[in-house]
Amino acid sequence: MSTESATRKEIIDIRLKEAGWNLADRTQVIEEFFLSTAAEESKAANPAVDEKVAPYGSREFSDYVLLAKNGKPIAVVEAKKSSTNAQIGREQAKQYCQNIQARNGGDLPFCFYTNGHEIFFWNLGEAPPQKVHGFPTLQDLERLLFIRKHKKPLAEELINTAIAGRDFQLQAIRSVMEGIEKNRRRFLLVMATGTGKTRTCIALIDALMRAGHVQRVLFLVDRIALRGQALDAFKEHIPDEPRWPEPGEKSIATDRRIYVATYPTMLNIVHDETNVLSPHFFDLIVIDESHRSIYNTYREILDYFNAIQLGLTATPRDIVDHNTFSIFECDDGLPTFAYSYEEAIDHVPPYLCDFRVLKLKTKFQDEGISKRTVSLEDQKHLILEGKEIEDINFEGSDLEKKVTNQATNALIVKEFMEESIKDPNGVLPGKTIFFCISMKHARRIETIFDSLYPEYKGELAKVMVSDDPRVYGKGGLLDQFTRNDMPRVAISVDMLDTGIDVREIVNLVFAKPVFSYTKFWQMIGRGTRLLESNKIKPWCPEKDVFQVIDCWDNFEYFKLTPKGKEPKPQIPLPVRFAGVRIDKIEAATALGLASVAEKEITALRAQIAAFPPRSVTIMEAEGQLALCQVEAFWKPLTADRITYLRHVVQPLFRVVSQADFKAMRFEKEILEASLAHLKGEKEKYAALSENLVAQISELPLSVNIVAQEAGLIQRAQTNHYWATMTDQSFDHLATHLAPLMHFRDGRESGTGPARFNFADVLVAKEFVEFGPEHESLSIAQYRQLVEQKVKELTANNPILQKIRDARPVSDEEAEALASQLHNEHPHITLQLLRRVYQHRTAPFLRFIRHILGIEILESFPDTVSRSIDQFITQHPALTSHQLQFLDLLRDYIIHRGGVEKRDLIQAPFTVIHPSGIRGVFSPVEINEILTLTQGLAA
């Protein structure tokens, strides 16, 4: 726009009204707010000053001043014309804010400067300017002012260790809090599944709320089941904070402190024009399970809100996508904080559960289904059924895609029931997830469980998929699986792959191949959580290992292909649809078919007009789209303008989310066929029309609304219809049949997988060594041997009986007992006992008392970890660097057996600070740490 006043009237005024500001009410907004110049202030102080010194033109007027409820200025908005860079008003707006405070006293107003299309927010003295996507409401400004005035230093704020008290959790929280103190706004925590990302996040939120840094928090999840899980966690750990949604709530409420929503729900709220949610509504946004696919579709949510952003992911840091690091303003491979599965397993005691892998493979999986692999008996049955064995030739990888074999699925279920980790009764499997290839595969597995084990009356195994409403809510299938004895087996297609927190899971069955490394480890993560001692369930009283039954060589695949293969990013359907329409406009123009080109231009303009106006992407592209709103742009539509449509406008269609995509796909394919027809591409037209006929033939005429188009449906399946098509005929077909395409879902496709029940056999069944498991197994066997020998001898050995009865034992008797045990087994020696029980100084009798259950002998690593953890608990204000130092100290002492004072100022401690411990702790704290280490050495 050519003038500032036009920009204000036609854009800025409207955007202020959208935020609830009444420009006609001078108790809310004052336009052209007069500010005294320095000369006038001087004249006020000295009336003798000549009035001509301060001519009218040098006086200052703020374009808009927004007033608080007490009538005092709370924000200044400096306007520039839309053709000017908004940032030209930056210093001017700042000076206005400072002048207002100098003249009126009170609080420094918040600073805004804009050209209508771009708005910048500057919280002066607190943070640098930020681009925002709308003005705040009065309630937003008063909340932000309260936070600015009352927030406390985060270094002094204690963390509630009852919520998250592990050393690495405290370090993660401190890393974020220290970043907030330095005005950082984006953070990324990479923490292995099961290490308590949600609890860590809740403890952080609790500390930030108590310190007055945040009042409203949005916690984003990617599935409804995870929303319920997160709400339960907030209710458990910070129950006094009001949450949204409560059961049954649909519309967003504005009086809560904790908001938990799925990405699609929040995107719909952002795009809602009838109930606009301010971009300044939240102070902190947590993005759970942050990965690339979310940002491709839902990045708009993060762009829209002006809030601190915290990303959480379990994806190993060397696999995290570059774009994810970029979004959270981290260098590649360097998140705000990281804690890996290996670190959790290696910790003493371990924070996560280790696993073992059982590899299963059947003959058909290995060699396929063909005349060569099907038994002679089954081939005879085929002949009796009038079928040819030569017609059957499937690869092993075709199973549950092109072919299904009931006996193969039954064999996998039987082997699972045989080899699974069982409950304490040793009959039923413990809690298990079966990962299946497809919905139909999952239903087949469920049917096999029911038919093989009818005594459990259909309760043993249940299919749990995201589009089944019976899965969700209190008493739903997932709730039953989590809280009840039955079902024991959850059969899943994608839904339970990530995020679901059921600590009692002891078996994972991979009845599908997985090619994404990220997804594979998320699936493994379903079993890594340890039990909570205060929440033990009768069907799982203990868990020190879980089992992965791999039916598709997934571990072998990832050994050969460490990073797997990620699916290639796809261009969204609305973008492709718009692209085909632009191609057709170009082709019609080139062929001189003006009426066809004009018709498609009208359709394209209607699509552009339907863009969601509250989309951040559309708001940012407002200037580019304004060009398309001018009639002259389209007449004539030159080659340069078609290029502009293709490269500038077409990509914007990625924001279209509220649409019938089945109808849109059909319309796109009709449009592609009409384009091929227009250009005379006969082979392409034949292939496209054949595909369309197949889709039309699947429309169920038994549905009343479909039956109304029976005549068109029948005609559209004839060769004559496609041979006599006109451009208007294509439009007619799309208009009448596209809205019916979703009815195809209810029909079974006639070309499903081939179904057989050929006998199948196992060709591989073996435990796979994965990770550092072999050594720990041999130690466990040694301990079992020693304990068994001691308990066997106790019945007839008077010295062991004296120890059992807590009677004194002389040194001579202790030596005699050691000799007897050594004679029983030559490897029972004091040195080996100290190594196996991980205690470097305990005498022989202490090991015997421990084996007999008289004394608990804490291992040296356990003692070190307990002492360090106790020190951390006693010093709740430790910084992230201090926590990192103590973690390194723990590992050093466990592996070296102790530490000297001089070691603490040498490598590896100088990695954290060049001066070692002196650069990290105060002299008083150093003395405490030295006392602790000396106690451990003793």
Side-chain angles (χ1 to χ4, degrees):
M1 291 177 189
S2 57
T3 65
E4 181 185 307
S5 61
T7 300
R8 287 174 56 181
K9 183 177 180 180
E10 296 178 32
I11 305 178
I12 301 173
D13 286 3
I14 293 170
R15 300 194 74 172
L16 282 167
K17 287 173 186 174
E18 285 176 354
W21 296 97
N22 183 354
L23 275 70
D25 184 353
R26 288 181 63 82
T27 66
Q28 291 189 34
V29 183
I30 300 177
E31 296 185 70
E32 301 292 345
F33 185 89
F34 173 66
L35 295 159
S36 302
T37 64
E40 287 174 319
E41 288 173 2
S42 175
K43 187 175 188 303
N46 182 6
V49 173
D50 188 352
E51 193 172 328
K52 292 180 180 177
V53 172
Y56 180 82
S58 66
R59 293 178 181 176
E60 294 180 343
F61 290 86
S62 173
D63 293 311
Y64 305 86
V65 169
L66 310 182
L67 304 179
K69 288 178 183 176
N70 61 10
K72 294 184 177 179
I74 195 169
V76 165
V77 180
E78 174 58 23
K80 296 296 174 189
K81 62 184 178 181
S82 60
S83 58
T84 302
N85 188 328
Q87 300 201 56
I88 290 174
R90 170 174 166 161
E91 288 304 312
Q92 192 176 358
K94 172 187 170 182
Q95 289 168 15
Y96 290 168
C97 290
Q98 292 172 338
N99 290 350
I100 286 173
Q101 185 187 36
R103 189 180 77 175
N104 299 342
D107 300 308
L108 181 65
F110 293 105
C111 179
F112 292 86
Y113 46 97
T114 178
N115 64 2
H117 298 307
E118 290 185 323
I119 303 172
F120 290 88
F121 167 54
W122 194 357
N123 191 353
L124 294 166
E126 296 290 323
Q130 300 153 56
K131 186 177 180 180
V132 295
H133 296 283
F135 291 107
T137 64
L138 173 58
Q139 292 75 20
D140 291 333
L141 290 174
E142 294 196 325
R143 186 186 84 253
L144 293 171
L145 182 61
F146 184 88
I147 289 172
R148 187 170 76 184
K149 290 171 67 175
H150 295 94
K151 65 182 180 180
K152 297 182 287 186
L154 290 175
E156 300 171 8
E157 192 60 47
L158 302 182
I159 298 166
N160 185 346
T161 54
I163 301 174
R166 291 175 173 175
D167 52 354
F168 68 90
Q169 293 171 334
L170 298 175
Q171 192 176 339
I173 293 167
R174 286 293 175 196
S175 296
V176 175
M177 291 168 74
E178 289 164 12
I180 291 173
E181 290 278 49
K182 295 173 183 174
N183 291 322
R184 283 203 59 203
R185 304 273 295 171
R186 299 193 176 191
F187 306 91
L188 179 63
L189 302 184
V190 178
M191 297 169 65
T193 298
T195 53
K197 291 189 298 297
T198 303
R199 291 181 72 138
T200 300
C201 177
I202 292 173
L204 170 66
I205 290 167
D206 174 63
L208 292 175
M209 283 185 165
R210 283 187 283 105
H213 280 252
V214 302
Q215 289 188 17
R216 284 204 200 104
V217 176
L218 171 62
F219 193 93
L220 286 170
V221 296
D222 64 352
R223 275 174 289 129
I224 293 172
L226 301 185
R227 183 186 69 183
Q229 194 168 281
L231 283 166
D232 289 344
F234 278 106
K235 183 178 180 180
E236 178 183 357
H237 297 301
I238 44 176
D240 295 332
E241 299 297 350
R243 299 168 298 279
W244 180 87
E246 293 290 346
E249 282 189 305
K250 300 294 183 186
S251 299
I252 191 165
T254 57
D255 59 347
R256 312 297 164 78
R257 301 251 286 173
I258 304 292
Y259 292 76
V260 182
T262 62
Y263 295 95
T265 295
M266 189 48 60
L267 187 63
N268 290 341
I269 289 170
V270 167
H271 286 176
D272 189 353
E273 296 178 67
T274 59
N275 186 22
V276 175
L277 190 67
S278 165
H280 305 267
F281 187 76
F282 296 111
D283 304 306
L284 170 67
I285 298 177
V286 180
I287 305 96
D288 193 21
E289 297 299 342
S290 306
H291 49 78
R292 180 177 59 194
S293 62
I294 286 169
Y295 300 121
N296 288 345
T297 311
Y298 299 114
R299 172 74 183 268
E300 284 220 355
I301 300 170
L302 306 188
D303 290 340
Y304 179 74
F305 288 109
N306 173 39
I308 297 167
Q309 295 177 9
L310 171 64
L312 308 177
T313 183
T315 305
R317 74 167 102 183
D318 54 336
I319 305 296
V320 173
D321 182 71
H322 162 78
N323 291 332
T324 302
F325 284 116
S326 175
I327 285 164
F328 292 103
E329 298 172 356
C330 297
D331 293 334
D332 282 2
L334 294 173
T336 308
F337 176 80
Y339 192 73
S340 68
Y341 176 73
E342 288 74 19
E343 289 175 284
I345 289 293
D346 292 341
H347 187 271
V348 181
Y351 285 140
L352 289 180
C353 189
D354 207 346
F355 61 91
R356 65 187 186 215
V357 181
L358 175 63
K359 172 184 171 180
L360 295 180
K361 183 177 275 190
T362 75
K363 183 178 182 180
F364 289 159
Q365 285 179 312
D366 194 39
E367 301 178 34
I369 301 178
S370 64
K371 182 177 181 179
R372 184 175 55 84
T373 58
V374 174
S375 69
L376 290 175
E377 187 70 24
D378 283 327
Q379 289 188 36
K380 288 177 185 177
H381 287 145
L382 274 178
I383 293 168
L384 291 173
E385 293 171 8
K387 297 176 183 176
E388 293 289 339
I389 185 64
E390 283 77 10
D391 295 338
I392 298 172
N393 187 15
F394 297 96
E395 299 290 331
S397 58
D398 291 334
L399 278 164
E400 294 307 325
K401 295 172 185 172
K402 297 179 182 178
V403 62
T404 179
N405 189 62
Q406 184 177 341
T408 302
N409 287 328
L411 183 59
I412 289 171
V413 169
K414 288 176 186 175
E415 286 298 326
F416 157 71
M417 291 294 284
E418 181 74 25
E419 298 294 342
S420 61
I421 293 178
K422 307 292 194 299
D423 67 9
N425 296 324
V427 178
L428 284 175
K431 293 288 182 174
T432 301
I433 299 178
F434 242 85
F435 299 115
C436 291
I437 292 173
S438 66
M439 190 87 72
K440 291 178 180 177
H441 182 210
R443 296 292 178 197
R444 284 192 278 270
I445 293 289
E446 182 182 49
T447 301
I448 287 168
F449 268 106
D450 289 345
S451 61
L452 290 178
Y453 308 100
E455 61 270 31
Y456 299 112
K457 303 176 177 64
E459 299 296 332
L460 179 61
K462 300 275 190 179
V463 171
M464 298 184 197
V465 290
S466 57
D467 60 355
D468 185 348
R470 298 174 304 159
V471 171
Y472 305 107
K474 193 174 178 67
L477 290 175
L478 183 56
D479 188 58
Q480 292 175 33
F481 180 66
T482 304
R483 302 178 189 276
N484 299 348
D485 181 43
M486 290 285 194
R488 291 297 177 87
V489 181
I491 307 170
S492 166
V493 184
D494 295 332
M495 178 187 163
L496 303 182
D497 292 359
T498 62
I500 298 300
D501 178 5
V502 181
R503 293 178 179 273
E504 293 75 23
I505 288 171
V506 290
N507 300 293
L508 298 174
V509 181
F510 282 80
K512 64 183 284 185
V514 182
F515 301 104
S516 164
Y517 183 85
T518 299
K519 187 172 184 179
F520 179 68
W521 279 102
Q522 286 176 331
M523 294 163 82
I524 293 290
R526 299 312 99 219
T528 57
R529 289 174 173 84
L530 293 167
L531 302 179
E532 290 183 307
S533 58
N534 60 335
K535 297 180 181 178
I536 296 298
K537 308 278 177 63
W539 52 86
C540 187
E542 59 182 12
K543 176 183 175 182
D544 55 8
V545 69
F546 70 97
Q547 179 166 263
V548 177
I549 299 178
D550 185 7
C551 307
W552 282 97
D553 265 344
N554 288 298
F555 281 91
E556 192 64 32
Y557 172 76
F558 288 111
K559 282 180 184 177
L560 298 173
T561 317
K563 293 191 177 182
K565 63 177 182 184
E566 293 289 346
K568 293 180 180 178
Q570 291 187 333
I571 299 172
L573 175 62
V575 176
R576 286 181 280 140
F577 185 25
V580 176
R581 180 148 274 143
I582 293 168
D583 290 344
K584 188 174 177 182
I585 291 168
E586 185 176 37
T589 303
L591 292 168
L593 300 172
S595 60
V596 174
E598 189 60 39
K599 172 175 65 71
E600 296 301 342
I601 286 171
T602 301
L604 181 61
R605 293 181 72 174
Q607 286 179 267
I608 294 170
F611 280 148
R614 295 205 53 78
S615 161
V616 170
T617 304
I618 300 306
M619 285 193 278
E620 290 185 338
E622 207 167 335
Q624 295 165 317
L625 288 172
L627 187 62
C628 302
Q629 294 166 2
V630 179
E631 198 65 33
F633 176 85
W634 303 93
K635 295 178 180 178
L637 192 60
T638 62
D640 287 345
R641 289 171 184 172
I642 287 175
T643 301
Y644 184 86
L645 288 172
R646 188 169 281 128
H647 295 294
V648 177
V649 178
Q650 182 185 339
L652 298 177
F653 279 89
R654 67 185 183 274
V655 306
V656 175
S657 60
Q658 297 297 299
D660 180 347
F661 287 105
K662 292 181 175 65
M664 185 184 290
R665 181 171 284 106
F666 185 75
E667 287 182 87
K668 179 188 79 73
E669 290 171 3
I670 289 281
L671 199 62
E672 285 174 327
S674 71
L675 175 59
H677 185 266
L678 193 75
K679 295 167 72 174
E681 297 172 339
K682 294 182 180 180
E683 289 185 11
K684 185 175 182 180
Y685 177 65
L688 289 167
S689 58
E690 184 180 344
N691 175 53
L692 286 165
V693 168
Q695 293 181 51
I696 293 167
S697 69
E698 292 174 3
L699 287 170
L701 294 173
S702 56
V703 177
N704 286 339
I705 194 169
V706 177
Q708 292 174 18
E709 300 291 347
L712 177 59
I713 291 170
Q714 289 163 1
R715 289 198 307 278
Q717 295 179 61
T718 66
N719 291 333
H720 176 74
Y721 179 84
W722 293 96
T724 57
M725 287 292 274
T726 65
D727 206 65
Q728 288 73 23
S729 302
F730 287 112
D731 294 339
H732 181 265
L733 189 65
T735 302
H736 286 263
L737 298 192
L740 306 180
M741 283 297 123
H742 66 278
F743 289 109
R744 289 175 59 219
D745 288 348
R747 280 179 51 128
E748 285 282 337
S749 173
T751 56
R755 297 186 180 191
F756 303 110
N757 190 20
F758 300 142
D760 199 358
V761 294
L762 283 178
V763 294
K765 180 178 177 180
E766 57 188 352
F767 280 96
V768 180
E769 184 180 331
F770 192 81
E773 188 64 53
H774 181 70
E775 181 186 359
S776 62
L777 277 173
S778 64
I779 289 173
Q781 289 168 348
Y782 177 84
R783 287 177 66 159
Q784 189 177 1
L785 178 148
V786 173
E787 290 168 8
Q788 186 178 342
K789 287 291 178 188
V790 169
K791 288 169 182 174
E792 285 175 1
L793 291 172
T794 301
N796 300 309
N797 189 298
I799 302 174
L800 284 171
Q801 290 169 358
K802 288 177 74 174
I803 296 170
R804 181 194 64 194
D805 299 337
R807 288 181 281 155
V809 175
S810 67
D811 292 343
E812 292 78 13
E813 288 175 315
E815 288 179 16
L817 178 61
S819 297
Q820 289 174 31
L821 285 171
H822 183 66
N823 291 334
E824 284 287 331
H825 197 288
H827 291 302
I828 300 179
T829 65
L830 179 59
Q831 289 74 23
L832 274 175
L833 287 170
R834 283 176 173 173
R835 179 183 160 202
V836 167
Y837 285 94
Q838 295 184 302
H839 203 296
R840 299 163 188 263
T841 57
F844 182 77
L845 284 181
R846 285 195 69 189
F847 292 110
I848 303 302
R849 290 193 187 98
H850 174 73
I851 291 167
L852 292 173
I854 297 166
E855 175 185 344
I856 294 175
L857 184 64
E858 188 176 52
S859 71
F860 181 67
D862 284 344
T863 303
V864 174
S865 283
R866 180 177 51 77
S867 302
I868 298 285
D869 289 343
Q870 192 173 357
F871 182 88
I872 291 171
T873 303
Q874 292 166 351
H875 299 78
L878 292 170
T879 68
S880 60
H881 272 73
Q882 290 172 328
L883 289 164
Q884 193 178 355
F885 188 96
L886 290 171
D887 201 38
L888 181 59
L889 178 63
R890 180 205 314 266
D891 292 343
Y892 188 93
I893 295 173
I894 288 172
H895 290 106
R896 300 288 183 92
V899 66
E900 297 292 331
K901 184 177 179 179
R902 63 177 177 273
D903 296 331
L904 298 174
I905 55 172
Q906 298 175 7
F909 299 103
T910 50
V911 172
I912 295 173
H913 192 281
S915 302
I917 192 170
R918 293 172 183 163
V920 182
F921 291 95
S922 68
V924 173
E925 291 168 329
I926 291 172
N927 287 334
E928 289 184 64
I929 290 170
L930 290 174
T931 303
L932 182 150
T933 58
Q934 288 161 7
L936 291 172

